[in-house]
């Protein structure tokens, strides 16, 4: 897809379709919208009065463009959350998604007046992401050629710079890569296959290192090994370093660590059959850090960034970890595994210890860690925990700029006592109450540098198609991590 910055006014732009957001303040039709409406001969007003325009979040209506040079107007409802990068990214995704399969190769996108570079980068990423289809991954695609059509060029009306759009297009490609990795089935994308995918990043100048079980044994990664021991496919620790990792001038280095459970059956603490298939998405954190690393390597290879993806299958095989087993973490702690389904925190713990030993001064981990996060926040909002809080502020601000919705939760060390046991230093699973917060408290025992934990259990995949995204992987956290790494490099 090509993205091009063009000057307004929108009434003069020629394309197949002109996409126009209707914001909350348009209850009285704001002046810029009224101007376009007048140029169209009242087409927007007619659509609204006639009831064609649906005032529900993310609703779209494709209507006659009246006297405008475009063939159709795409009215996009934007009445919920306000303007800015989040809105821009979603509007663009909804617009290009609506035109998938249509004979409308040229879309003009007008975000109305006053959106900055950052919002347009997010819009560009969203426009590219909106054309994503996952059914190309496997087998025969039944789409006819006509159904495979999608927007080829987006004219960004009023975008302040072409550079912002180019960056967004690269981020959109990263989101698609992350979705592809996360959507792949567990019998295909196993730990070694993720290692193979990561090695392809050598073409982008990255150094890729893959630790196998014997090496993990030597390093004392008893938590990763314990989770992986019940599976036919052994674990891997996948490590991607950008060229800038070794040349960091001020010594600050960022490690992004992603939970890579290729399939989470729960292990012997097995999950109910219903929806168990969704647990192929339990590698979404790993997919996000690999995709973010590739994107940053292409945009700013001198960024001091390392991606770490502990990859396992959590399976109840004959050699599986048993509830009650005590395993030794790389940081020396003895962990009693009271629930084999609380596996994500175990593999992240060793991966973060390893990242610190490699020289990370700042860590962000991303994980589909708790069902409680999905229950509490749903599909739109990821939650994060920070220590110290000001590092969390930087992560939250980067996510906001990237068009993702993150919300901070309290890292309440008061809950540490719920992990006490007479048999080890800590158990891996407490009681259900407060389990979202408690999962972060567990992780906090295994990090000593500034750290943020992002739980994407609710946002990583959609169980049904949405106006802004397909069923399956969403690519959550890819854009936020890219923005964070770029900001980190710039000392923001
Ligand atoms: N991968 C799951 C969390 C999950 C559940 C993500 C549903 C997305 C949708 C994780 O490994 C898990 O099983 N967590 C348990 C932890 C509990 C045993 C302490 C949970 O949240 O129930
Ligand atoms: Mn689990
Ligand atoms: Zn899991």
């Amino acid at each position: 897809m090509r993205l091009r910055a063009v000057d307004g006014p929108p009434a003069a732009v020629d394309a197949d379709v002109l996409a126009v957001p209707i914001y909350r303040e348009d209850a009285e039709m704001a002046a810029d919208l009224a101007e376009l409406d007048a140029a169209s001969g009242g087409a927007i007003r007619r659509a609204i009065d006639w009831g064609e325009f649906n005032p529900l979040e993310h609703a779209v209506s494709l209507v006659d463009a009246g006297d405008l040079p475009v063939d159709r107007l795409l009215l996009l409802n934007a009445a919920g959350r306000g303007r800015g990068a989040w809105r821009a990214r979603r509007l663009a995704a909804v617009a290009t998604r609506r035109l998938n399969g249509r004979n409308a190769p040229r879309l003009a996108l007008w975000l109305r007046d006053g959106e900055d570079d950052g919002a347009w980068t997010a819009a560009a990423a969203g426009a590219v992401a909106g054309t994503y289809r996952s059914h190309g991954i496997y087998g025969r695609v039944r789409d006819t050629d006509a159904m495979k059509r999608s927007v080829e060029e987006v004219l960004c009306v009023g975008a302040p710079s072409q550079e912002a759009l180019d960056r967004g297009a690269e981020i959109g490609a990263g989101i698609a890569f992350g979705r592809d990795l996360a959507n792949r089935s567990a019998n295909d994308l196993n730990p070694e296959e993720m290692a193979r995918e990561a090695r392809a990043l050598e073409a982008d100048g990255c150094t890729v290192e893959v630790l196998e079980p014997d090496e993990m044994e030597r390093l004392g990664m008893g938590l990763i090994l314990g989770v992986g021991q019940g599976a036919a496919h052994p674990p891997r620790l996948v490590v991607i370093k950008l060229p800038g990792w070794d040349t960091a001038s001020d010594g600050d280095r960022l490690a992004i660590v992603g939970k890579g459970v290729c399939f989470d059956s729960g292990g012997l603490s097995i999950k109910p059959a219903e929806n168990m298939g969704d647990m192929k998405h339990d590698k979404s954190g790993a997919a996000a850090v690999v995709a973010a690393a590739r994107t940053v390597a292409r945009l700013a290879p001198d960024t001091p960034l390392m991606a770490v993806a502990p990859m396992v299958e959590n399976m109840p095989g004959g050699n599986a970890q048993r509830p009650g087993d005590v395993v030794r973490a790389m940081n020396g702690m003895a962990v009693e595994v009271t629930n084999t389904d609380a596996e994500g925190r175990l593999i992240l713990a060793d991966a973060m210890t390893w990242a610190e030993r490699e020289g990370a001064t700042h860590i962000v981990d991303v994980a589909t860690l708790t069902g409680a996060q999905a229950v509490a926040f749903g599909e739109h909002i990821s939650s994060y925990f920070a220590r110290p809080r000001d590092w969390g502020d930087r992560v939250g601000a980067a996510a906001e700029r990237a068009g993702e919705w993150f919300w901070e939760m309290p890292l309440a060390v008061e809950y540490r006592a719920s992990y006490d046991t007479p048999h080890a230093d800590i158990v891996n699973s407490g009681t259900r109450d407060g389990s979202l917060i408690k999962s972060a408290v567990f992780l906090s025992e295994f990090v000593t540098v500034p750290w943020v934990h992002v739980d994407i259990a609710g946002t990583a995949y959609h169980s049904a198609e949405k106006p802004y995204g397909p069923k399956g992987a969403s690519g959550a956290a890819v854009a936020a991590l890219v923005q964070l790494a770029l900001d980190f490099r710039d000392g923001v």
Side-chain angles (χ1 to χ4, degrees):
M1 176 191 282
R2 292 180 303 281
L3 292 126
R4 205 146 58 78
V6 299
D7 287 335
V13 176
D14 192 10
D16 297 307
V17 173
L18 171 63
V20 179
I22 312 286
Y23 294 113
R24 199 175 2 209
E25 58 264 32
D26 291 316
E28 298 295 330
M29 211 186 261
D32 58 345
L33 187 63
E35 199 178 302
L36 179 69
D37 182 52
S40 72
I44 297 172
R45 174 57 67 202
R46 262 194 313 279
I48 294 174
D49 288 349
W50 196 50
E52 184 58 34
F53 176 69
N54 184 345
L56 292 175
E57 179 68 19
H58 294 121
V60 289
S61 343
L62 199 50
V63 302
D64 182 79
D67 302 335
L68 297 173
V70 294
D71 293 339
R72 285 183 176 79
L73 280 171
L74 185 58
L75 304 181
L76 305 167
N77 186 272
R81 210 176 173 220
R83 297 172 68 157
W86 183 86
R87 174 60 69 196
R89 178 174 160 184
R90 258 152 206 77
L91 286 172
V94 169
T96 57
R97 256 186 87 69
R98 177 63 182 77
L99 298 176
N100 284 339
R102 304 300 183 276
N103 188 15
R106 297 179 78 228
L107 168 70
L109 175 64
W110 183 43
L111 293 179
R112 313 278 297 276
D113 297 333
E115 296 298 347
D116 62 9
D117 254 12
W120 276 106
T121 296
V128 173
T131 63
Y132 177 83
R133 275 109 137 181
S134 62
H135 47 265
I137 299 178
Y138 299 115
R140 281 168 298 168
V141 176
R142 281 164 308 172
D143 288 3
T144 63
D145 284 346
M147 287 166 72
K148 276 185 271 188
R149 287 185 299 219
S150 54
V151 171
E152 290 164 14
E153 181 170 38
V154 182
L155 307 174
C156 300
V157 184
S161 83
Q162 184 60 37
E163 197 259 324
L165 301 178
D166 294 343
R167 188 160 8 105
E170 193 65 56
I171 294 168
I175 291 169
F177 178 42
R179 283 178 177 174
D180 271 345
L181 290 174
N183 274 329
R184 283 170 61 184
S185 59
N187 64 328
D188 166 19
L189 201 143
N190 56 44
E192 176 51 30
E193 177 62 15
M194 185 62 128
R196 206 183 63 78
E197 284 288 349
R199 286 189 197 101
L201 271 65
E202 286 171 352
D204 298 290
C206 297
T207 306
V208 179
E209 201 180 333
V210 178
L211 275 56
E212 302 198 358
D214 50 348
E215 180 71 14
M216 294 182 193
E217 196 85 56
R218 268 195 295 280
L219 289 164
M221 296 181 172
L223 303 195
I224 298 178
L225 288 167
V227 173
Q229 74 188 31
H233 299 100
R236 297 283 187 267
L237 188 77
V238 176
V239 183
I240 300 162
K241 288 175 181 156
L242 267 65
W245 177 262
D246 292 318
T247 55
S249 52
D250 59 359
D252 277 0
R253 290 185 172 84
L254 172 63
I256 51 177
V257 182
K259 172 179 173 181
V261 179
C262 296
F263 189 74
D264 182 11
S265 72
L268 284 176
S269 311
I270 199 160
K271 290 183 179 294
E274 201 187 351
N275 299 328
M276 196 199 270
D278 284 350
M279 284 298 111
K280 72 167 187 178
H281 286 296
D282 213 19
K283 59 185 181 304
S284 297
V289 300
V290 171
R294 193 184 82 171
T295 309
V296 179
R298 292 178 178 182
L299 289 173
D302 59 333
T303 306
L305 180 70
M306 169 171 73
V308 183
M311 303 301 305
V312 296
E313 284 177 356
N314 189 22
M315 298 291 280
N319 192 43
Q321 176 156 269
R322 294 145 293 246
D325 282 4
V326 176
V327 282
R328 181 74 62 186
M330 188 181 175
N331 80 344
M333 284 175 78
V335 181
E336 183 185 358
V337 179
T338 47
N339 189 328
T340 65
D341 198 12
E343 83 297 338
R345 59 196 73 184
L346 296 172
I347 66 171
L348 289 169
D350 275 349
M352 292 196 295
T353 301
W354 191 85
E356 279 194 31
R357 302 263 172 100
E358 285 294 294
T361 60
H362 295 71
I363 293 180
V364 175
D365 82 79
V366 183
T368 46
L369 203 66
T370 66
Q373 197 280 335
V375 170
F377 285 89
E379 69 187 40
H380 288 307
I381 308 169
S382 302
S383 24
Y384 69 93
F385 299 83
R387 187 182 64 196
R389 300 269 309 272
D390 60 0
W391 172 231
D393 293 343
R394 287 169 68 184
V395 175
E400 187 67 35
R401 264 197 297 284
E404 294 200 51
W405 196 343
F406 278 29
W407 197 262
E408 188 180 4
M409 299 291 285
L411 186 67
V413 292
E414 286 70 14
Y415 291 128
R416 172 62 178 85
S418 69
Y419 285 123
D420 285 347
T421 168
H423 306 299
D425 297 314
I426 193 169
V427 295
N428 77 324
S429 165
T431 47
R432 259 169 60 90
D433 53 294
S435 67
L436 169 55
I437 296 176
K438 286 177 182 169
S439 66
V441 171
F442 179 91
L443 289 173
S444 74
E445 293 280 318
F446 299 86
V447 212
T448 66
V449 298
W451 158 74
V452 165
H453 159 61
V454 187
D455 198 330
I456 56 169
T459 49
Y461 59 93
H462 304 315
S463 43
E465 189 184 350
K466 309 283 174 186
Y468 46 84
K471 176 179 158 85
S474 68
V478 174
L481 291 171
V482 170
Q483 186 64 49
L484 176 68
L486 298 177
D487 290 352
F488 188 84
R489 162 179 170 268
D490 297 339
V492 178

